[in-house]
């Protein structure tokens, strides 16, 4: 015979309280509500009761069902929570393990120098233009008034691409002048930073190096403008107000007249220092753009003329930051970089 209904609540509650796992709780659910369950037995017995008793008992069973259901639900939640906690405890991660060593890099002084030079020229209204590292003969030489057989071609120690008769690694950034003029009409003011290549390697040469080219074309641009622009640049870049800047006559096929620019320097113990000290250091080439170059680019030379300049980035960086070996820029030595490199934040402050 089944357990009396009035005792059932207490019995079931005790069972539920004692359950330790979700499996045990499930077994209790079956024991109560299953086919031969404790409550099911009472439900079945309803059929044999007279109408009025049936109603009364039916209500009691229903109330009990609700109570048991909510007890099961609460216990289920409790057990699930503790089971999850147990699982998490088992899977605990040991955060006391030491991390792997982490090297933080810095900006190469080349990157820093290009950013500094670009900023100075941008303030003067120059826009940045870029050209390809793989050039053709026409843009690297011919259009710049360096025809085949011109001795300047030998001086450039050019890397030619295997199997591509006409392709080479640009020996200077000057071809960006030509590429810009093919797309844009004057007036224009551009600087073109980038990699350049020559088959040369020793203490003072690397096969890959960097230059920044400048070009300014407009009506009535003269050598005075060139001189003012370059003097302002040198003084701002080296952060020396009275830095002596000298223009020395020179030759480049793509400018006429051409000049080389020297800045003042002096020897401090065995180090070369930039400033007013009676000696001179060559830092860049420049000149008024040759008519032949402008004509190659279909510029009306009666209307427009201007100046161009080209500067080696490594040289600027070595002089400003006291770096003595050119090759060290490209050694990828993290210790060297930590010493001579720049943090991104320093750079942002400067700009
Ligand atoms: N392209 C020259 C070189 O690589 C540098 C140069 C000199 C560029 C004079 C110029 C310039 O634009 O006017 O040696």
């Amino acid at each position: 015979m089944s357990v009396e209904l009035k005792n059932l609540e207490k019995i079931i509650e005790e069972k539920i309280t004692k359950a330790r796992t979700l499996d045990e709780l499930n077994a209790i659910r079956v024991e109560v509500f299953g086919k031969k369950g404790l409550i099911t037995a009472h439900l079945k017995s309803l059929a044999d009761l007279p109408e009025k008793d049936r109603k009364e008992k039916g209500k009691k069973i229903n109330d009990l069902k609700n109570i048991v259901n909510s007890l099961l639900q609460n216990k289920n939640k409790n057990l699930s929570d503790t089971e999850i906690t147990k699982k998490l405890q088992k899977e605990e991660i040991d955060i006391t393990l030491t991390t792997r060593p982490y090297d933080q890099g810095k900006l190469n002084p080349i990157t820093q120098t290009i950013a500094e030079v670009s900023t100075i020229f941008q303030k003067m209204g120059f826009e940045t233009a870029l050209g390809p590292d793989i050039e053709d003969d026409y843009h690297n030489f011919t259009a710049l008034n360096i025809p085949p057989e011109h001795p300047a071609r030998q001086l450039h120690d050019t890397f030619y691409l295997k199997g591509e008769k006409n392709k080479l690694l640009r020996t200077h950034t000057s071809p960006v002048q030509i590429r810009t003029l093919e797309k844009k009409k004057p007036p224009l003011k551009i600087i073109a930073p980038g990699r350049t290549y020559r088959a040369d390697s020793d203490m003072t040469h690397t096969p890959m190096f960097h230059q920044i080219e400048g070009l300014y074309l407009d009506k009535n641009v003269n050598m005075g403008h060139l001189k003012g622009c370059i003097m302002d640049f040198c003084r701002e870049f080296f952060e020396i107000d009275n830095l002596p800047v000298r223009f020395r006559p020179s030759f480049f096929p793509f400018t006429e007249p051409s000049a080389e620019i020297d800045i003042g320097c002096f020897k401090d113990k065995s180090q070369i220092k930039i400033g007013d000290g009676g000696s001179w250091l060559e830092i860049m080439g420049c000149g008024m753009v040759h008519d032949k170059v402008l004509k190659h680019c279909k510029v009306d030379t009666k209307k427009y003329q201007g100046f161009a300049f080209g500067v080696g980035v490594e040289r600027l960086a070595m002089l400003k930051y006291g770096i003595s070996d050119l090759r060290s820029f490209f050694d990828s030595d993290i210790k060297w970089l930590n010493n001579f490199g720049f943090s991104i934040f320093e750079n942002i402050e400067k700009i």
Side-chain angles (χ1 to χ4, degrees):
M1 182 53 208
S2 61
V3 184
E4 264 193 64
L5 194 60
K6 60 177 182 334
N7 296 332
L8 213 48
E9 183 181 334
K10 216 168 154 225
I11 294 168
I12 297 173
E13 194 180 351
E14 241 167 55
K15 283 181 188 285
I16 292 176
T17 314
K18 278 186 191 152
R20 290 270 154 269
T21 65
L22 284 171
D23 284 344
E24 278 178 38
L25 193 66
N26 245 339
I28 296 168
R29 191 191 306 279
V30 174
E31 200 185 330
V32 176
F33 292 116
K35 257 191 186 164
K36 292 179 183 160
L38 293 168
I39 291 185
T40 320
H42 282 281
L43 276 171
K44 277 183 183 161
S45 73
L46 282 179
D48 307 328
L49 291 179
E51 170 106 33
K52 86 172 194 342
D53 291 350
R54 196 190 305 158
K55 228 179 176 180
E56 200 182 317
K57 193 171 179 190
K59 191 181 172 311
K60 277 186 187 157
I61 298 174
N62 234 357
D63 289 346
L64 179 64
K65 255 171 89 178
N66 289 338
I67 291 168
V68 172
N69 266 331
S70 85
L71 285 173
L72 283 170
Q73 228 171 33
N74 286 344
K75 186 72 181 184
N76 189 304
K77 191 177 176 314
N78 276 347
L79 288 175
S80 307
D81 286 352
T82 48
E83 287 200 4
I84 287 170
T85 317
K86 265 191 218 154
K87 242 189 191 168
L88 283 176
Q89 272 166 352
K90 249 197 246 162
E91 285 172 13
E92 205 179 8
I93 300 164
D94 181 4
I95 55 161
T96 59
L97 210 65
T98 45
T99 54
R100 290 194 190 134
Y102 168 67
D103 281 332
Q104 189 175 7
K106 283 196 167 188
L107 294 179
N108 192 296
I110 303 267
T111 311
Q112 171 75 14
T113 303
I114 290 176
E116 286 178 21
V117 174
S118 302
T119 308
I120 295 169
F121 282 110
Q122 272 158 17
K123 282 192 281 187
M124 297 186 202
F126 286 79
E127 281 175 42
T128 299
L130 298 173
D133 288 22
I134 297 175
E135 261 301 357
D136 53 48
D137 205 90
Y138 173 76
H139 291 90
N140 196 77
F141 292 125
T142 312
L144 288 159
N145 194 31
I146 315 174
E149 316 311 327
H150 193 288
R153 289 208 181 192
Q154 266 73 60
L155 292 177
H156 278 220
D157 298 312
T158 313
F159 283 115
Y160 286 91
L161 266 67
K162 239 186 179 169
E164 301 251 13
K165 244 180 37 211
N166 193 27
K167 292 271 162 72
L168 50 88
L169 294 179
R170 67 178 175 191
T171 57
H172 50 175
T173 43
S174 303
V176 186
Q177 291 188 30
I178 309 299
R179 293 207 172 262
T180 306
L181 285 172
E182 284 171 349
K183 282 184 281 184
K184 265 187 173 177
K185 296 258 156 290
L188 53 84
K189 249 176 160 178
I190 56 129
I191 51 158
R195 294 192 186 102
T196 46
Y197 307 83
R198 292 185 197 180
D200 211 352
S201 183
D202 57 35
M203 272 281 282
T204 52
H205 297 90
T206 48
M208 189 277 295
F209 56 104
H210 298 76
Q211 288 189 340
I212 300 174
E213 192 77 12
L215 175 68
Y216 175 27
L217 292 182
D218 205 338
K219 292 169 187 161
N220 308 318
V221 178
N222 61 43
M223 201 119 181
H225 297 118
L226 167 61
K227 210 169 168 182
C229 172
I230 297 298
M231 278 173 79
D232 281 354
F233 162 71
C234 292
R235 289 175 177 169
E236 191 166 345
F237 178 77
F238 288 105
E239 297 169 22
I240 302 172
D241 288 342
N242 64 346
L243 178 66
V245 180
R246 176 172 87 171
F247 283 66
R248 191 165 31 80
S250 184
F251 170 80
F252 298 103
F254 30 88
T255 43
E256 182 58 37
S258 303
E260 251 152 335
I261 298 155
D262 300 334
I263 54 170
C265 71
F266 57 94
K267 255 199 167 158
D268 181 20
K269 287 168 201 143
S270 62
Q271 259 211 327
I272 292 177
K273 292 260 167 84
I274 306 297
D276 191 0
S279 298
W280 296 99
L281 242 178
E282 179 195 319
I283 59 155
M284 61 200 281
C286 65
M288 301 305 292
V289 182
H290 201 295
D291 261 19
K292 282 191 180 163
V293 174
L294 295 176
K295 282 184 177 140
H296 270 129
C297 302
K298 302 192 173 60
V299 173
D300 181 354
T301 52
K302 295 231 162 52
K303 219 165 149 189
Y304 292 106
Q305 60 280 122
F307 63 74
F309 56 86
V311 59
V313 178
E314 283 77 359
R315 190 162 171 76
L316 287 182
M318 286 167 89
L319 291 171
K320 184 163 176 177
Y321 297 114
I323 298 164
S324 55
D325 188 344
L326 175 68
R327 291 167 296 191
S328 57
F329 284 112
F330 311 115
D331 282 345
S332 296
D333 176 350
I334 193 82
K335 279 198 210 116
W336 181 88
L337 200 61
N338 275 328
N339 192 25
F340 288 108
F342 293 82
S343 90
I344 289 173
F345 301 108
E346 276 172 76
N347 215 29
I348 288 170
E349 269 167 33
K350 268 220 152 92
I351 291 169

